[in-house]
Amino acid sequence: MPSPPYTAAELAERFSLRLHGDGSVRILGVGTLAQAGPGQLAFLANPKYRHQLNATNAGVVVMRESDAEGYPGTALIASDPYTAFARLSALFEPLPSRPPGIHPSADIHPTVRVADDVHVAAFVSIGANSRIEAGAVIGPGCVIGEDCVVGAGSELVARVTLVTRVRLGQRVRIHPGAVLGADGFGLAMDAGRWIKVPQLGGVVVGDDCEIGANTAIDRGAIEDTVLEEDVRLDNLIQIGHNVRIGAHTAMAGCVAVAGSARIGRYCLIGGGAGITGHLEICDRVVITAMSLVTRSIREPGEYSSGTGLMDNRSWRKNAARFRQLDKMARQLRDQEN
Amino acid sequence: MPSPPYTAAELAERFSLRLHGDGSVRILGVGTLAQAGPGQLAFLANPKYRHQLNATNAGVVVMRESDAEGYPGTALIASDPYTAFARLSALFEPLPSRPPGIHPSADIHPTVRVADDVHVAAFVSIGANSRIEAGAVIGPGCVIGEDCVVGAGSELVARVTLVTRVRLGQRVRIHPGAVLGADGFGLAMDAGRWIKVPQLGGVVVGDDCEIGANTAIDRGAIEDTVLEEDVRLDNLIQIGHNVRIGAHTAMAGCVAVAGSARIGRYCLIGGGAGITGHLEICDRVVITAMSLVTRSIREPGEYSSGTGLMDNRSWRKNAARFRQLDKMARQLRDQEN
Amino acid sequence: MPSPPYTAAELAERFSLRLHGDGSVRILGVGTLAQAGPGQLAFLANPKYRHQLNATNAGVVVMRESDAEGYPGTALIASDPYTAFARLSALFEPLPSRPPGIHPSADIHPTVRVADDVHVAAFVSIGANSRIEAGAVIGPGCVIGEDCVVGAGSELVARVTLVTRVRLGQRVRIHPGAVLGADGFGLAMDAGRWIKVPQLGGVVVGDDCEIGANTAIDRGAIEDTVLEEDVRLDNLIQIGHNVRIGAHTAMAGCVAVAGSARIGRYCLIGGGAGITGHLEICDRVVITAMSLVTRSIREPGEYSSGTGLMDNRSWRKNAARFRQLDKMARQLRDQEN
């Protein structure tokens, strides 16, 4: 399948989806169920949007078997329409050209090993003893320090910094502004002044991880900070030194994880949540947005902290009472007795 | 008015303000009411600082009519002294020279259209099919990817990244480290592993928007992420994919807005606040600092969540009781009956 | 002491520590108490890890006198083992080579004064009237604007931006992605549109400060934003315009401080905490993680806000009651009477 348009029948065959309706419909791109036109592919995953199906002009809609009954248009039937759509829509993504080659402006230390088919863009700096493996893409303005590895097929989109001792696995994708391997925040107080605790560890990032824009992952103090495989971090996240994040865990934007926290596999951490240091979170834990975790979590499940949103006047009254809550509880207990 | 000093009378005339006192006072710069000297301009807007008027050495003070009665010094009378001061003080701002021209180190794809009077600084990279319009300033170390537009008179101060499909209106100002147009955080789980949902949309930024240092605005999944005109974002803000922010809305630092949230016009979002995805906030809503919005808001007004600050010992007691709050409420109800 | 290995006796002498056990043990690096091998130095500071002492294979352990009684291995005795370890481990840190010299790609305005022994890396831009003092290191991709000073022995690790009027003291260390001196967030509303309040101040950073990755410190509106000496800021922190931070104060990641807040000396601000503007915090205040400070604090001590983490089902019930808290308090008061 060289390039769009594709017919519905071609898409069905390629992605092993059942075709419902007219297979000759030609698709040039994607759209939302509400906005897509006749040449566009849309999807229906959330039942909340089912009513939009009646009015959609989409050429083809990816949907569940149960939603297709009686649908007069063309559909591709999937057990998980969102996942199927994710795969289908990749056909329509305009990928920028990143041909192999090293831009003449790049400043690469003579000890660096760069595989033949690597793309290194303008204004890239790579320090001593680092290694860039096959098919990697180093976008404009990236800085890679000493003793780093960029694994095969990984991409630093632009202006990414790997400070020192950062080892990326294969197919890792890092967005602009991210900083991996900066000094962990290690301080000791000595006679009224801070002294810096040297940060001798590194950062290890497993295969297929993705790291968002302006996210920071510090290197370890003695041992390494570790992301296992397929960890997905959104933008503006802070990962302290010696944190370990289990495989397939995802974090939304602005999460902060303090040093030496250990987070399990398949966890979902909501935006703006905080995790304090030196604790453990087991596998399959969900933390809702802006919750603060201060103790280890040993049971899978969903956890929250905070209060709900109120109009400010009500909130002021209730928040004032929060200061009296212990007193209220003791009064209530006295009345019970 | 070529350059300072200016007399009080000249300033009054230029900004259509009424002069109170001696118009021949010469002004070379600005200062605070508390610290300004005889050659400096200060302002009084907040009544809380009115007592400083008695002791000020400022050569000229911008103030309201009502504050000027009996003031023995020179004043410029304005109905909104802060806004008047904002305009006046621009006269004293030392603006760096950004003459038209392209630095020889800049790496610009041959398909890029750059207007004649644009300033492109050192170590700038611009990708295929992008366009830089009249009078724009692209500061050092900026990376502009494919299919971007920088509108007339806009400025990327330094080290800004526009990843792909980012269209800026006119007079947009973006501070260092900001990343616009990175992949939205779209993931689908497939047989125990994440797959990436292609992010095919872009980012549209209206005229006169300002975007702070290290802020990230992701591009849309299918449609665009949109900032209407005159939106003002402070530093370290996260804007998820397909968010829409209405005209004249301002957000303080460290706000996080999750994907597909729609925020109205003239909203004020306090620092560190969180807004979860797929909800709507109407016009003229104020969210106080570090509040979390998890449902749509349909009435203008001020909204809050959280608890007030306490000494840690009191807080521990009250927070412990928060865990029993539902039980307490039921006990209380039983006692009422 | 040219380079490792060092004997335990050599280390004891160099750092004025008492030697316990065999002084001929040779040390090549550092490790954790749990993982270190015979050629490695470890430390025991937290009594919680004392049990690991029985099983450790570390060649030398830094510990308190009281922990060394009966310890069969080699120990270095320190009253503060963590601080002693911090000093010792610096011997084993592989420091990258940053020899004096200016990379040929650097773009330096002719008015800039650069001391002889400064290191300026590739793709660095330095604007008019700035000054780089003796022994400073300017890493790859840094942008320094107009009227800045980098004090003697300071280091900008990589991709740091000093926008304008930023004066760094001596031995300041700034991590990648940090932005100092961007415009403060000063806005005035005028006839339904924002106008920008010029930011005429600068940023002053005292000696021995450290500033984390992707942290932003805005320049002042009229006067300067000030960090006194030995202030330590972690990653992704936002410091608004005209903030003043007292000497030896440390902040963990993702803290946000709004404009004109004044923070005392020796304060510890926990991760994700928020401090609103125009208030004062006295010396030696501890703010726990994700707490919000909205009023001045006049007494040293520890302060907190928020609620504890709960399983989501319990949290929903209790958070719902928080909305009724004022009503509950009034019911309770009525019952008391």
Side-chain angles (χ1 to χ4, degrees):
Chain A
M1 302 181 92
S3 69
Y6 309 106
T7 65
E10 284 169 341
L11 295 173
E13 189 183 344
R14 168 146 183 173
F15 292 93
S16 306
L17 300 170
R18 190 168 74 71
L19 176 69
H20 166 109
D22 176 7
S24 70
V25 175
R26 291 155 70 87
I27 295 299
L28 284 147
V30 302
T32 60
L33 202 52
Q35 301 288 337
Q40 290 180 305
L41 176 82
F43 73 101
L44 171 63
N46 188 336
K48 169 175 154 187
Y49 297 110
R50 200 185 184 297
H51 67 279
Q52 293 184 350
L53 204 55
N54 304 321
T56 189
N57 292 314
V60 174
V61 180
V62 188
M63 63 179 78
R64 284 188 196 82
E65 182 81 55
S66 55
D67 288 318
E69 259 175 73
Y71 179 63
T74 299
L76 294 171
I77 308 303
S79 57
D80 182 343
Y82 187 56
T83 300
F85 178 80
R87 295 193 183 285
L88 280 156
S89 68
L91 288 178
F92 304 96
E93 192 174 13
L95 290 174
S97 163
R98 299 285 182 263
I102 297 180
H103 192 277
S105 67
D107 180 51
I108 302 181
H109 194 273
T111 56
V112 173
R113 284 163 291 162
V114 180
D116 281 349
D117 59 351
V118 160
H119 173 91
V120 177
F123 318 125
V124 166
S125 176
I126 310 182
N129 303 315
S130 286
R131 191 169 82 238
I132 315 296
E133 298 186 343
V137 169
I138 313 296
C142 289
V143 175
I144 300 175
E146 285 77 9
D147 300 304
C148 294
V149 177
V150 177
S154 289
E155 178 172 4
L156 314 189
V157 174
R159 283 184 47 242
V160 168
T161 308
L162 310 182
V163 181
T164 193
R165 295 191 288 284
V166 178
R167 281 99 71 200
L168 308 181
Q170 300 190 11
R171 298 172 304 279
V172 170
R173 192 175 166 87
I174 308 187
H175 295 285
V179 178
L180 280 73
D183 285 16
F185 197 58
L187 297 172
M189 186 53 84
D190 184 39
R193 301 188 69 83
W194 293 113
I195 64 171
K196 191 169 170 61
V197 181
Q199 302 292 304
L200 306 174
V203 177
V204 175
V205 176
D207 294 343
D208 300 302
C209 288
E210 182 164 9
I211 294 165
N214 288 344
T215 281
I217 304 177
D218 281 349
R219 68 177 192 267
I222 297 176
E223 298 175 343
D224 294 326
T225 303
V226 178
L227 274 64
E228 297 178 0
E229 60 161 349
D230 197 27
V231 168
R232 307 288 175 143
L233 303 186
D234 197 358
N235 301 339
L236 289 160
I237 289 174
Q238 153 69 357
I239 305 294
H241 54 180
N242 299 104
V243 167
R244 183 174 192 104
I245 304 179
H248 316 294
T249 282
M251 299 191 184
C254 302
V255 168
V257 183
S260 300
R262 294 177 68 92
I263 300 172
R265 293 156 55 95
Y266 291 108
C267 292
L268 299 173
I269 314 294
I275 297 174
T276 61
H278 296 272
L279 55 71
E280 287 188 41
I281 296 178
C282 68
D283 294 351
R284 297 186 188 276
V285 165
V286 176
I287 305 293
T288 59
M290 287 181 71
S291 297
L292 174 63
V293 183
T294 56
R295 295 194 192 174
S296 290
I297 299 179
R298 309 205 183 280
E299 292 292 326
E302 189 174 357
Y303 296 84
S304 303
S305 70
T307 78
L309 194 78
M310 282 156 273
D311 69 273
N312 182 262
R313 193 153 164 264
S314 305
W315 176 79
R316 280 176 184 276
K317 281 190 216 165
N318 291 313
R321 297 299 187 181
F322 182 81
R323 294 173 198 274
Q324 306 161 1
L325 196 51
D326 182 54
K327 192 178 145 215
M328 284 169 62
R330 281 183 283 110
Q331 285 176 338
L332 196 55
R333 188 198 53 205
D334 292 348
Q335 291 185 4
E336 297 272 302
N337 299 337
Chain B
M1 301 182 94
S3 70
Y6 309 107
T7 64
E10 284 169 341
L11 295 173
E13 189 183 343
R14 169 147 182 174
F15 292 94
S16 305
L17 301 170
R18 190 168 75 69
L19 175 69
H20 166 108
D22 176 8
S24 70
V25 174
R26 290 155 69 88
I27 295 299
L28 284 148
V30 303
T32 59
L33 203 51
Q35 301 289 335
Q40 290 180 305
L41 176 83
F43 74 100
L44 171 63
N46 188 336
K48 170 175 153 187
Y49 297 110
R50 202 186 183 296
H51 67 280
Q52 294 183 350
L53 204 54
N54 304 321
T56 190
N57 293 313
V60 174
V61 180
V62 188
M63 63 179 78
R64 285 189 197 81
E65 183 81 55
S66 56
D67 287 319
E69 259 174 72
Y71 178 63
T74 299
L76 294 172
I77 308 303
S79 56
D80 182 343
Y82 187 55
T83 299
F85 178 79
R87 294 193 185 284
L88 281 155
S89 69
L91 288 179
F92 304 96
E93 192 174 12
L95 290 174
S97 164
R98 298 286 182 262
I102 297 180
H103 192 276
S105 67
D107 181 50
I108 302 181
H109 193 274
T111 57
V112 173
R113 284 163 291 163
V114 180
D116 281 350
D117 58 351
V118 160
H119 173 92
V120 177
F123 318 127
V124 165
S125 176
I126 310 182
N129 304 314
S130 287
R131 190 170 83 239
I132 315 296
E133 297 186 344
V137 169
I138 313 296
C142 290
V143 175
I144 300 175
E146 284 78 9
D147 299 304
C148 294
V149 177
V150 177
S154 289
E155 178 172 4
L156 314 189
V157 174
R159 282 185 45 243
V160 168
T161 308
L162 309 183
V163 180
T164 193
R165 294 190 290 282
V166 178
R167 281 99 70 200
L168 308 181
Q170 299 191 10
R171 299 172 304 278
V172 170
R173 193 174 166 86
I174 308 187
H175 295 285
V179 178
L180 280 73
D183 285 14
F185 196 59
L187 297 171
M189 186 52 85
D190 184 38
R193 302 188 68 84
W194 293 112
I195 64 169
K196 190 170 171 60
V197 181
Q199 301 291 305
L200 307 175
V203 176
V204 175
V205 176
D207 294 343
D208 301 302
C209 288
E210 183 164 7
I211 293 165
N214 288 343
T215 281
I217 304 177
D218 281 350
R219 69 177 192 268
I222 296 175
E223 299 177 342
D224 295 326
T225 303
V226 178
L227 274 64
E228 297 179 0
E229 59 162 347
D230 197 27
V231 168
R232 307 288 174 144
L233 303 186
D234 197 358
N235 302 337
L236 288 160
I237 289 174
Q238 153 69 357
I239 305 294
H241 54 179
N242 299 104
V243 167
R244 183 174 191 105
I245 305 178
H248 316 294
T249 282
M251 298 191 185
C254 302
V255 166
V257 184
S260 299
R262 293 177 68 93
I263 300 172
R265 293 157 55 96
Y266 291 107
C267 293
L268 299 173
I269 314 295
I275 297 174
T276 60
H278 296 272
L279 55 71
E280 287 188 41
I281 296 177
C282 68
D283 294 351
R284 298 185 185 277
V285 165
V286 176
I287 305 293
T288 60
M290 287 181 69
S291 296
L292 174 62
V293 183
T294 56
R295 295 195 191 174
S296 290
I297 298 178
R298 309 208 183 278
E299 293 293 327
E302 190 174 357
Y303 296 85
S304 303
S305 70
T307 79
L309 194 77
M310 281 157 274
D311 69 273
N312 183 262
R313 193 152 165 265
S314 305
W315 176 80
R316 279 176 186 276
K317 281 190 216 166
N318 291 313
R321 298 299 188 180
F322 183 81
R323 294 173 200 275
Q324 306 161 2
L325 196 51
D326 183 54
K327 192 177 145 214
M328 283 169 62
R330 281 184 283 110
Q331 284 176 338
L332 196 55
R333 188 199 52 207
D334 292 347
Q335 291 184 3
E336 298 273 301
N337 300 337
Chain C
M1 301 182 95
S3 70
Y6 309 107
T7 65
E10 284 168 340
L11 294 173
E13 188 184 342
R14 168 147 184 174
F15 292 94
S16 305
L17 301 170
R18 191 168 74 71
L19 175 69
H20 166 108
D22 176 7
S24 70
V25 175
R26 290 156 69 89
I27 296 299
L28 284 148
V30 302
T32 60
L33 203 51
Q35 301 289 336
Q40 289 180 306
L41 176 83
F43 73 99
L44 171 63
N46 188 335
K48 170 175 153 188
Y49 297 111
R50 201 187 184 295
H51 67 278
Q52 294 183 350
L53 204 55
N54 303 321
T56 189
N57 292 314
V60 174
V61 181
V62 188
M63 62 180 77
R64 286 190 196 81
E65 182 82 54
S66 56
D67 287 320
E69 260 174 72
Y71 179 62
T74 300
L76 294 171
I77 308 303
S79 56
D80 182 343
Y82 187 55
T83 300
F85 179 79
R87 294 192 184 285
L88 281 156
S89 68
L91 289 178
F92 304 96
E93 191 173 12
L95 290 174
S97 163
R98 298 285 182 263
I102 297 181
H103 192 277
S105 67
D107 180 51
I108 302 181
H109 193 274
T111 57
V112 173
R113 284 163 291 163
V114 180
D116 281 349
D117 58 350
V118 159
H119 174 90
V120 177
F123 319 125
V124 166
S125 175
I126 310 183
N129 303 315
S130 287
R131 190 169 83 238
I132 315 296
E133 298 186 344
V137 170
I138 313 296
C142 289
V143 175
I144 300 175
E146 285 77 9
D147 299 304
C148 293
V149 177
V150 177
S154 289
E155 179 171 4
L156 314 189
V157 173
R159 282 185 47 242
V160 168
T161 307
L162 309 182
V163 181
T164 192
R165 296 189 289 283
V166 179
R167 281 99 70 200
L168 307 181
Q170 300 191 10
R171 298 172 304 278
V172 170
R173 193 175 166 86
I174 308 188
H175 295 285
V179 178
L180 280 73
D183 285 15
F185 196 58
L187 297 171
M189 186 52 86
D190 184 38
R193 301 188 69 83
W194 293 112
I195 64 169
K196 191 171 169 61
V197 182
Q199 302 291 304
L200 306 175
V203 177
V204 175
V205 176
D207 295 343
D208 300 302
C209 288
E210 183 164 8
I211 294 165
N214 288 343
T215 281
I217 304 177
D218 280 350
R219 69 176 192 268
I222 297 177
E223 299 176 342
D224 295 326
T225 303
V226 177
L227 273 65
E228 298 178 358
E229 60 161 347
D230 197 27
V231 168
R232 307 288 175 144
L233 303 186
D234 197 357
N235 302 339
L236 288 161
I237 288 174
Q238 153 69 357
I239 305 294
H241 54 179
N242 299 104
V243 167
R244 184 174 192 104
I245 304 179
H248 316 294
T249 282
M251 298 191 184
C254 301
V255 167
V257 183
S260 300
R262 294 177 67 94
I263 299 172
R265 293 156 55 94
Y266 291 108
C267 293
L268 299 172
I269 314 294
I275 297 175
T276 61
H278 296 272
L279 56 70
E280 287 188 40
I281 296 177
C282 67
D283 294 350
R284 297 186 187 278
V285 165
V286 176
I287 305 294
T288 59
M290 287 180 72
S291 297
L292 174 63
V293 183
T294 56
R295 295 194 191 175
S296 290
I297 298 178
R298 310 207 183 278
E299 293 292 326
E302 190 174 357
Y303 296 84
S304 303
S305 70
T307 79
L309 194 78
M310 281 157 274
D311 69 272
N312 183 262
R313 193 152 165 265
S314 305
W315 176 80
R316 281 175 184 275
K317 281 191 216 164
N318 291 312
R321 297 299 187 180
F322 182 81
R323 294 173 199 272
Q324 307 161 1
L325 196 51
D326 182 54
K327 193 177 142 215
M328 283 169 62
R330 281 184 283 110
Q331 285 177 338
L332 196 54
R333 189 198 52 203
D334 292 348
Q335 290 185 2
E336 297 272 302
N337 299 338

